[in-house]
Amino acid sequence: RMCILKMAHHCPWIYNCVGFYNYKYFFLLIMYSAMACQFMFFTMQSSVYKAFVDQEDLFPMFLLVFGQTLTFFLSILLTTFWAFHIWLVSRSMTTIEFCEKNTVHKKDDGEGACWGWCGDSTYIDSPYDVGALRNFRAVLGRNPLLWLLPIWNVPSDGLSYETEGTPLRPSASKGESYAADLDATRLVRRPGNTQIM
C-alpha cells in the first residue's frame, strides 16, 4: 500500500497509479497516442482505396480494412479521453474527484434521479481551481514551451497547492512552515518501517 499524491486514478493500461508525479506524462501519452492513431487513420486511407481499386487478395484487403477500422475507433476513443482530461485539468480536478464529487439532483416532478443525463446535474467546483491557465501550469509546468515535452518542470512539491486565497507570491515564513511539516512527517514511525530518517 502506498499513498499517491493527488491521485487521479489507477490505470490498467500503464499498470500504475496516475498522480502528481506522473500525471503530465500520462496526459502526454494520451495526447500523442490520439495523434498517432489519427495520423495512421488518415494515411491508411490511400492504401485501402488502392487495394480496392487493384482488387487485392482477400487477406491483405482484410488486414488493411481491419487496421483502418481499428485506428478509426481508437482515434475517437483516445481523442475523447484526452478531451476529458483537458477539461479535468482546466478545472483542477482528478478523475476520482470527478466521480465522487459530481452530484446529481433529483427531478422536481417526482420522476426520480436522472443519472446525470437530463441536464440538471451540477459539478462541485474544486477549491484548487485557480483558472484554466494556472491549472495547466500546475500540471504541465510553468514554461509553456516545455508543455508538450516529457520533461519534469512542475514547480510544486505535491503537498501544497494554490487556491483562490493563495497570494501570488507566498511569504518565506509560509514556505518554512511547509518544510517543517515535511520534516515532522518523516519522523513518524509507520507500520513495517523500523527506520526513522
Side-chain angles (χ1 to χ4, degrees):
R1 293 183 179 229
M2 182 182 248
C3 182
I4 306 296
L5 292 175
K6 197 178 176 185
M7 181 175 169
H9 63 282
H10 179 80
C11 180
W13 304 109
I14 62 172
Y15 195 63
N16 202 355
C17 288
V18 177
F20 175 74
Y21 288 109
N22 62 355
Y23 190 82
K24 176 182 180 176
Y25 305 116
F26 177 77
F27 186 83
L28 293 177
L29 172 73
I30 298 170
M31 181 188 74
Y32 287 127
S33 299
M35 291 170 65
C37 285
Q38 292 168 3
F39 177 78
M40 287 186 279
F41 173 74
F42 289 116
T43 56
M44 283 182 70
Q45 287 181 348
S46 61
S47 299
V48 172
Y49 177 75
K50 187 174 184 299
F52 274 113
V53 170
D54 295 344
Q55 295 184 352
E56 290 286 334
D57 293 334
L58 179 64
F59 188 67
M61 179 74 74
F62 169 77
L63 290 178
L64 283 170
V65 172
F66 178 72
Q68 180 82 17
T69 306
L70 187 64
T71 58
F72 173 74
F73 285 113
L74 283 175
S75 296
I76 290 174
L77 178 74
L78 287 169
T79 303
T80 305
F81 193 54
W82 182 55
F84 172 65
H85 277 276
I86 288 174
W87 181 81
L88 286 177
V89 170
S90 71
R91 297 199 177 229
S92 190
M93 292 177 72
T94 65
T95 312
I96 293 174
E97 288 173 335
F98 171 77
C99 293
E100 289 181 351
K101 294 182 182 178
N102 127 26
T103 59
V104 178
H105 300 290
K106 292 193 173 193
K107 286 186 171 180
D108 293 332
D109 59 7
E111 291 182 23
C114 62
W115 307 108
W117 296 104
C118 58
D120 66 348
S121 63
T122 58
Y123 298 100
I124 297 174
D125 292 331
S126 172
Y128 303 105
D129 185 3
V130 289
L133 180 61
R134 287 170 66 190
N135 291 341
F136 273 97
R137 285 182 175 173
V139 171
L140 300 176
R142 294 256 183 230
N143 188 351
L145 298 175
L146 300 176
W147 281 4
L148 302 180
L149 300 175
I151 298 171
W152 180 259
N153 62 341
V154 178
S156 178
D157 59 359
L159 297 174
S160 56
Y161 294 96
E162 291 183 20
T163 62
E164 283 297 326
T166 305
L168 292 177
R169 296 182 189 262
S171 64
S173 63
K174 192 173 188 179
E176 290 171 3
S177 68
Y178 287 141
D181 288 343
L182 277 175
D183 289 337
T185 58
R186 288 189 185 112
L187 297 176
V188 174
R189 186 180 301 272
R190 292 180 177 82
N193 183 8
T194 57
Q195 286 185 324
I196 296 180
M197 301 179 90

